[in-house]
């Protein structure tokens, strides 16, 4: 039942936007149109027989745990570490502000903003929180192990998201703000090499290792899909393709395991965490899916929409070995996040309309200047937007200081270093989330007070121009009835529009600057994690358990000394087989080169045997 609210006067969106005035967003006002050639024919395909995952729902294990038979080429079991791979031989990433093709498309079509999937999806997620009425992902398809687990989006999804608007010749480019995320994590680094692994034959991939990289003669151009919508021209990188899929292309996602994500600074130990079962609260593929639904599906979904992709191909790993693979279509993500595809289409279009109006408003306040725009959904009932003029010279000095000394980060956070007297007895799955849509202002204040913020700590903020602060009020209209509740379109005749109001704060400049500093300080703490040498008693209960499990199973990453058996009955057929056999003259799924490489790995590894000490009962979840 739709809960009605008091009526207000709502106007059609006519620019310029006036503050404290209600405007309507109608998805019929915007369409996504492809620009130029997408070069789909140049996009790589999956290798190692992985293409059959695309047409069979569910998780596909690399190796059957019972028979030890490999379902795919065992070459992809072990993961090449970053110090062994020559990343200079990969196509370099180009930011939106440096993409001349993207800028020229916008200029020729008189569009004001350009952006890429990597720079836009986080802020699009914050705007979805604003219009969704607190809607949560649907995890009802999971087992009873997750029946009492929270379904809301994670803290990481709601942490403040910033973009850098770079002005060049009448066009603003949207770049991701890297003020605090100054170092690439092990997951982001491995993501680049693993994408090459999944789309290359063993002999091709071997050339990208440092000892062989001299054989790589040329670096191919990146493949992009360009689309225009409203005020924007957007770019999406095309990772992989299969012409049998409805939209032909799909995204590659290499998903690090739970322990690696939660204890990423300690990945040399957390890589011992194994994914062993299909279902269960820990060490299962179901746990990884549950976390993706709450922390990644929304961004993945927006990326597939911008790139007109069919879905995502997920490779599950722990940074040392590969466990399995799964193809998740855009339709499946739509059902989890929005309820169905039609609701997702409407929500995405209205978010783009809203973002276009917001960015036009702030760029008119500071015309032809580079700006940092930050969106904050800490209090989802009234999302906030902050605007700061960027001074590149001073920021470069501040960034260098941050990289060298780390003085702009807080000393500790409740999430990573909260001592607990009874940590061993604590339930790592219990506890409220202050980012819950039902959280009160007191809950939010208490959570902020838990952060150990030293007054001496500081972040650089450019105060030569006043910091602008805005809040938004939003509600939906479904079939003519106003509501603040979540909306799902069930019938083709259903209509859904968004009503929004922008409120500009009247704080004094020094007050706005101080509050903005506190926001940026809170933003910086998200990238802090417990150090490898952090004592167990100072870890959160969950990280403590994950470290115990990881230490116990670290030996399992070693290549097994056993006869390699591959499921030859599941070979690809037709044209897919012809393509795959190009690198397999022996007509076996494992080439002689692969067997030679695997034998070398086995000879260098220590014998695969469990540790002599008994299993630590405390490590069991």
């Amino acid at each position: 039942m739709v809960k009605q609210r008091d009526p207000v006067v709502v106007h059609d969106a006519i620019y310029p936007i006036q503050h404290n005035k209600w405007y309507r967003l109608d998805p019929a006002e915007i369409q996504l149109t492809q620009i130029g050639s997408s070069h789909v024919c140049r996009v790589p395909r999956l290798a190692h027989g992985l293409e059959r995952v695309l047409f069979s729902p569910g998780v596909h294990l690399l190796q059957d745990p019972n028979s030890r038979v490999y379902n795919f080429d065992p070459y992809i079991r072990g993961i090449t570490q970053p110090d062994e791979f020559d990343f200079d031989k990969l196509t370099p990433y180009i930011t939106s502000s440096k993409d001349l093709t993207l800028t020229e498309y916008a200029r020729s079509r008189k569009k004001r903003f350009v952006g890429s999937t990597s720079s836009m999806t986080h802020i699009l997620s914050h705007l979805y929180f604003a219009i969704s009425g607190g809607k949560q992902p649907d995890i009802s398809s999971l087992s009873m192990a997750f029946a009492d687990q929270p379904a809301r989006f994670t803290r990481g999804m709601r942490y403040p998201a910033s973009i850098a608007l770079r002005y060049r010749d009448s066009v603003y480019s949207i770049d991701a703000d890297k003020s605090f995320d100054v170092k690439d994590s092990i997951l982001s680094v491995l993501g680049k090499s693993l994408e090459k692994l999944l789309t290359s034959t063993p002999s091709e991939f071997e050339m990208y290792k440092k000892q062989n990289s001299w054989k790589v003669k040329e670096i191919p151009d990146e493949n992009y899909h360009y689309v225009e919508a409203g005020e924007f021209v957007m770019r999406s990188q095309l990772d992989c393709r299969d012409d049998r899929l409805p939209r032909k292309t799909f995204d590659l996602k290499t998903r690090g395991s739970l322990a690696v994500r939660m204890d990423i600074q300690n990945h040399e130990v957390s890589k011992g965490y194994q994914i062993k079962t299909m279902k269960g609260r820990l060490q299962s593929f179901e746990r990884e899916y549950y976390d993706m639904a709450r922390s990644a599906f929304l961004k993945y979904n927006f990326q597939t929409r911008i790139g007109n992709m069919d879905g995502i191909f997920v490779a599950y790993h722990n940074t040392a070995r590969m466990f399995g693979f799964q193809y998740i279509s855009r339709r499946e993500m739509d059902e989890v996040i929005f309820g169905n595809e039609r609701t997702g289409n409407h929500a995405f279009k209205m978010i783009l309309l809203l973002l276009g109006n917001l960015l036009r408003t702030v760029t008119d306040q500071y015309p032809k200047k580079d700006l940092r725009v930050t969106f904050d959904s800490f209090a989802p009932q009234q999302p906030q937007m902050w605007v700061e003029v960027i001074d590149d010279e001073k920021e470069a000095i501040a960034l260098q200081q941050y990289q060298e000394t780390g003085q702009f980060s807080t000393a500790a956070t409740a999430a990573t270093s909260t001592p607990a007297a009874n940590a061993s007895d604590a339930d790592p799955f219990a506890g409220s989330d202050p980012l819950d849509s039902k959280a009160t202002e007191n809950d939010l204040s208490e959570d902020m007070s838990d952060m150990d913020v030293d007054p001496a700590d500081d972040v650089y903020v450019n105060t030569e121009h006043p910091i602008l602060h805005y809040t938004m009020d939003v509600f939906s209209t479904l079939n003519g009835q106003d509501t603040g509740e979540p909306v799902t379109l069930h019938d083709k005749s259903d209509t859904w529009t968004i009503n929004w109001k922008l409120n500009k704060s009247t704080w004094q400049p020094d007050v706005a600057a101080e509050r903005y500093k506190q926001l940026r300080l809170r933003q910086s703490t998200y990238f802090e994690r417990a150090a490898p040498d952090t004592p167990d008693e100072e870890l959160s209960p969950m990280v403590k358990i994950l470290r115990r499990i990881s230490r116990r199973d670290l030996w399992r990453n070693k290549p097994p000394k056993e006869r390699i058996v591959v499921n030859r009955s599941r070979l690809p057929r037709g044209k897919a087989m012809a393509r795959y056999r190009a690198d397999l003259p022996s007509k076996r799924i494992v080439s002689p080169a692969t067997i030679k490489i695997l034998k070398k790995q086995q000879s260098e590894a220590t014998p695969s045997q469990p540790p002599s000490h008994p299993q630590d009962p405390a490590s069991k979840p």
Side-chain angles (χ1 to χ4, degrees), residues 195-344:
E195 286 184 11
K196 176 59 68 174
L197 172 66
L198 297 175
T199 57
S200 304
T201 60
S203 60
E204 291 172 344
F205 185 76
E206 284 293 312
M207 291 196 302
Y208 287 87
K209 293 185 178 180
K210 287 184 177 180
Q211 66 268 29
N212 304 320
S213 61
W214 60 271
K215 299 179 182 179
V216 180
K217 302 302 181 183
E218 59 181 35
I219 300 175
D221 294 331
E222 196 60 84
N223 301 297
Y224 294 120
H225 174 89
Y226 297 95
V227 63
E228 65 172 309
E231 299 280 346
F232 301 93
V233 172
M234 298 173 287
R235 182 196 75 190
S236 174
Q237 177 180 321
L238 300 179
D239 290 342
C240 209
R241 72 179 174 110
D242 192 297
D243 295 339
R244 295 167 291 180
L245 292 172
R247 296 184 180 91
K248 299 185 184 301
T249 59
F250 54 94
D251 219 356
L252 293 180
K253 299 297 180 184
T254 52
R255 183 71 174 176
S257 63
L258 171 66
V260 175
R261 297 194 309 273
M262 293 197 65
D263 199 12
I264 199 164
Q265 298 296 336
N266 192 37
H267 65 88
E268 287 297 332
V269 171
S270 57
K271 69 182 181 181
Y273 181 91
Q274 309 289 305
I275 303 178
K276 298 180 177 179
T277 62
M278 287 293 179
K279 296 185 181 298
R281 193 171 282 190
L282 286 178
Q283 295 190 280
S284 72
F285 290 101
E286 185 180 40
R287 173 68 198 216
E288 305 303 320
Y289 188 97
Y290 165 75
D291 285 345
M292 276 197 298
R294 300 174 59 229
S295 66
F297 268 13
L298 186 59
K299 291 191 289 186
Y300 292 169
N301 187 280
F302 290 154
Q303 289 169 4
T304 59
R305 290 181 183 279
I306 294 173
N308 192 33
M309 292 180 279
D310 191 74
I312 58 173
F313 179 93
V314 184
Y316 298 100
H317 67 92
N318 65 358
T319 74
R321 60 173 292 194
M322 199 76 73
F323 295 104
F325 312 93
Q326 184 177 11
Y327 183 70
I328 303 172
S329 67
R330 186 207 295 181
R331 182 184 296 273
E332 180 177 344
M333 289 188 286
D334 282 340
E335 292 173 353
V336 172
I337 299 297
F338 308 110
N340 54 52
E341 184 177 17
R342 187 162 179 262
T343 305

